[in-house]
Amino acid sequence: MWLTKSRFLSGLQCHKRLWFEIHDPLEESFEPGVPVLQGRAFDEVVQELRPGVVISRAAGLPAAIAETKRVLGRTTNAASTLYQPAFKAGDLAVVVDVLRRRGAEFDLTEVKATTQVKETHLPDAAFQALVLQRAKIPVGRVFLGLVNNQFVLRRVGDYEGLLMEEDITDAVRGYLPEAAVRALEFQEVMDSAAMPAIDVGAHCTSPYECPFLARCTAGQEVAEFPVEVLPRGGNVAEALVAEGYRDLRDVPAARLTNEMHRRVFDATCSGLAFFDFAATAQLRSLPSPFAYLDFETISFSVPEIIGTRPYEQLPFQWSVHVEFGPDDVRHAEYLAIENFGDFEALVGELIAALPAAGPVFAYNASFEERVLGRLAELVPTRAAALLQIAGRLIDLLPVTRDAYYHRDMRGSWSIKSVMPTIDASLGYEHLGEIQEGDGAQRAFLELRSGTLAKEKAERLRAALIKYCRHDTWVMVVLRRFCAADFEQRDECWDG
């Protein structure tokens, strides 16, 4: 029942979350997401940059605490830098990322695989400093170890300059009294047999979505169309909720003066989809063939490709559909696993798959434009062709936002929200193993690890191809829907 750093941060978000973690934890196994994997990779590089003693946690936290005490107690050959040392003071316990001797004191560094200081970092580091102080470890300076986003990988394995340290000592010292008060408060929550009575609110998703959210909302009466579906509702939605409105259909029409809010309100109340024929005029004027492009990308906290920076969006996959006529739609695809980083090959096949002229559709095309622009820098011999493709991009997102709304989109114009309202069979939930971008990134990293059994590797590869192909096929359907006349639209729309 020790109060650890993770429990301290859970308590800051919500007492009920902390209580659940102690008295009724989730049973599901934890599958690390991409951010966790990025953090581990950065931790490893930090340890390589400044060699020191790594305290293992393989035998559990008590064993790590004992090993830390043994290492610090050496009178000769005392380590100047410790990684993952563990400390306990009373019922408070913490594992520190980096502890570095500086004279009679120790500097503490909390390593974060981010490029800037975030609000949650201060209480995180302050709790560690509090525990060390109480464990009689003299703390000197406190740093955040961040990713330097200006770093460029010039030589394989040379990461000097990737780590940058931000001194937050003064801020930590100022927060220490608050950390001490909070620690007592959270220990009382942990010791209590009674679950805290806390309603669902904005704190449930800030700074992170609580893993117990489904448990807290189970059995609650939830509005079918909550007021919060108002796009960019902000203060308007907050004011309506404060006045007791829960379902958008109960709100007086006169309260909504924003044009988009009225559009969403009218469609929600009537059950009839909104469609502005004039807003799609551009689509009907474009010449064929119509091409559709989607990239899947990965970013690394620790760059692996020469000439790249941390967290650059680097493509590992693309899908292209080309529509020459109603009955003549062709598909091409590219997936790089073993040959990831061979951008010349990726670019060469992409240029060959796309027509030399005509519109290239994307959804939220600024993303494809950025990827094409970066590829032009990485493969300068193909820069002209890539920039020409970027110049032909047509973004279906603003067209759809201006032209169409169905109440089942619930205030969202993401393609995953739009498509099921046009054709229920095009929902992403039907795709199986990979249904969103994060899943595609995890699959890519798993495949690239080379540790998967052959059957699972083949299944993930097929799922990646299916997911990316779906992204461009639904754009074919969406363009046809938006560009069609009313009679044609009725034929293709099951909504």
Side-chain angles (χ1 to χ4, degrees):
M1 290 282 284
W2 294 341
L3 179 63
T4 61
K5 183 181 75 171
S6 62
R7 289 171 177 170
F8 182 84
L9 296 176
S10 293
L12 284 178
Q13 180 170 7
C14 175
H15 284 186
K16 188 186 286 188
R17 173 176 179 169
L18 174 60
W19 190 90
F20 275 139
E21 288 180 359
I22 299 300
H23 297 278
D24 193 9
L26 296 171
E27 296 180 0
E28 302 93 72
S29 59
F30 172 70
E31 180 180 351
V34 174
V36 173
L37 298 174
Q38 300 282 29
R40 290 176 182 173
F42 187 51
D43 285 343
E44 290 175 4
V45 167
V46 170
Q47 293 175 17
E48 291 171 3
L49 286 172
R50 296 174 177 171
V53 174
V54 179
I55 305 296
S56 172
R57 279 185 284 168
L61 185 56
I65 293 170
E67 175 64 9
T68 300
K69 188 174 182 179
R70 186 186 69 80
V71 171
L72 288 177
R74 292 174 182 167
T75 56
T76 59
N77 298 321
S80 61
T81 302
L82 274 70
Y83 292 102
Q84 305 298 310
F87 301 90
K88 177 178 177 293
D91 287 332
L92 310 184
V94 72
V95 175
V96 174
D97 284 336
V98 188
L99 197 66
R100 191 166 58 244
R101 282 185 195 271
R102 187 170 53 82
E105 296 181 323
F106 289 87
D107 289 343
L108 182 160
T109 300
E110 171 64 11
V111 177
K112 297 293 185 184
T114 61
T115 60
Q116 58 187 1
V117 179
K118 296 183 178 180
E119 187 176 344
T120 55
H121 294 166
L122 175 59
D124 185 333
F127 179 72
Q128 295 177 60
L130 175 69
V131 178
L132 264 63
Q133 282 189 355
R134 293 185 177 181
K136 309 302 182 186
I137 302 295
V139 177
R141 312 299 296 176
V142 181
F143 299 91
L144 283 176
L146 306 175
V147 176
N148 176 13
N149 61 7
Q150 298 305 304
F151 172 84
V152 179
L153 184 64
R154 301 298 184 189
R155 291 181 299 276
V156 174
D158 183 0
Y159 293 108
E160 192 63 46
L162 178 63
L163 170 68
M164 65 175 186
E165 290 190 323
E166 184 87 15
D167 191 328
I168 58 169
T169 306
D170 292 342
V172 165
R173 287 173 178 165
Y175 189 84
L176 278 174
E178 174 75 8
V181 171
R182 292 288 195 162
L184 278 174
E185 177 185 315
F186 299 157
Q187 287 177 289
E188 291 177 1
V189 171
M190 292 166 62
D191 291 340
S192 174
M195 181 178 68
I198 298 175
D199 292 333
V200 172
H203 64 278
C204 297
T205 54
S206 178
Y208 310 105
E209 181 169 314
C210 176
F212 300 99
L213 182 57
R215 184 182 291 178
C216 291
T217 56
Q220 288 189 1
E221 184 177 345
V222 179
E224 185 177 1
F225 298 98
V227 169
E228 289 84 356
V229 304
L230 289 172
R232 299 179 181 177
N235 295 336
V236 174
E238 288 181 14
L240 291 170
V241 170
E243 293 174 28
Y245 294 105
R246 295 292 180 267
D247 196 299
L248 182 59
R249 294 170 297 182
D250 297 330
V251 174
R255 292 295 307 276
L256 302 174
T257 57
N258 177 281
E259 180 182 354
M260 183 62 76
H261 290 175
R262 284 301 300 266
R263 181 184 302 175
V264 170
F265 173 80
D266 291 342
T268 301
C269 292
S270 69
L272 300 175
F274 167 88
F275 194 89
D276 184 349
F277 186 73
T280 62
Q282 179 198 19
L283 298 183
R284 289 183 288 278
S285 68
L286 295 171
S288 62
F290 306 125
Y292 305 83
L293 171 63
D294 179 69
F295 286 111
E296 296 302 326
T297 63
I298 189 73
S299 63
F300 296 102
S301 58
V302 179
E304 298 184 12
I305 309 300
I306 297 296
T308 63
R309 291 185 170 88
Y311 293 118
E312 278 199 77
Q313 296 289 340
L314 300 173
F316 63 85
Q317 183 179 16
W318 54 254
S319 173
V320 166
H321 275 89
V322 182
E323 184 180 12
F324 293 94
D327 301 316
D328 186 5
V329 181
R330 306 172 196 178
H331 180 249
E333 62 200 11
Y334 184 93
L335 174 60
I337 302 296
E338 298 80 8
N339 63 331
F340 172 70
D342 184 354
F343 297 121
E344 288 193 16
L346 180 147
V347 165
E349 293 200 30
L350 175 63
I351 292 171
L354 288 166
V360 180
F361 292 98
Y363 204 81
N364 192 20
S366 60
F367 177 76
E368 271 66 32
E369 184 177 19
R370 287 194 300 273
V371 173
L372 288 166
R374 186 63 177 119
L375 285 172
E377 296 172 349
L378 293 168
V379 190
T381 57
R382 298 299 191 103
L386 290 165
L387 295 177
Q388 191 257 9
I389 293 168
R392 292 155 51 198
L393 286 171
I394 302 292
D395 196 345
L396 283 171
L397 172 57
V399 175
T400 307
R401 186 186 292 120
D402 290 343
Y404 178 64
Y405 184 75
H406 188 290
R407 69 180 187 176
D408 288 344
M409 289 160 53
R410 285 172 164 71
S412 170
W413 277 267
S414 77
I415 202 162
K416 294 175 178 63
S417 299
V418 172
M419 293 315 300
T421 69
I422 296 172
D423 183 339
S425 69
L426 295 177
Y428 280 69
E429 69 274 11
H430 303 307
L431 291 180
E433 196 154 1
I434 299 175
Q435 301 179 7
E436 33 72 36
D438 286 348
Q441 292 181 348
R442 285 195 303 271
F444 169 78
L445 293 174
E446 283 191 73
L447 285 166
R448 200 153 173 265
S449 71
T451 60
L452 299 180
K454 182 180 178 182
E455 182 180 344
K456 183 174 182 181
E458 290 176 350
R459 189 177 75 246
L460 278 183
R461 189 181 293 265
L464 269 173
I465 291 172
K466 181 179 181 180
Y467 171 73
C468 198
R469 181 174 62 234
H470 188 74
D471 269 343
T472 48
W473 172 247
V474 296
M475 284 192 275
V476 176
V477 176
L478 180 60
R479 187 208 63 82
R480 289 177 175 179
F481 173 78
C482 289
D485 60 31
F486 292 112
E487 183 176 340
Q488 290 172 317
R489 188 175 304 105
D490 288 341
E491 291 175 359
C492 72
W493 184 23
D494 71 356

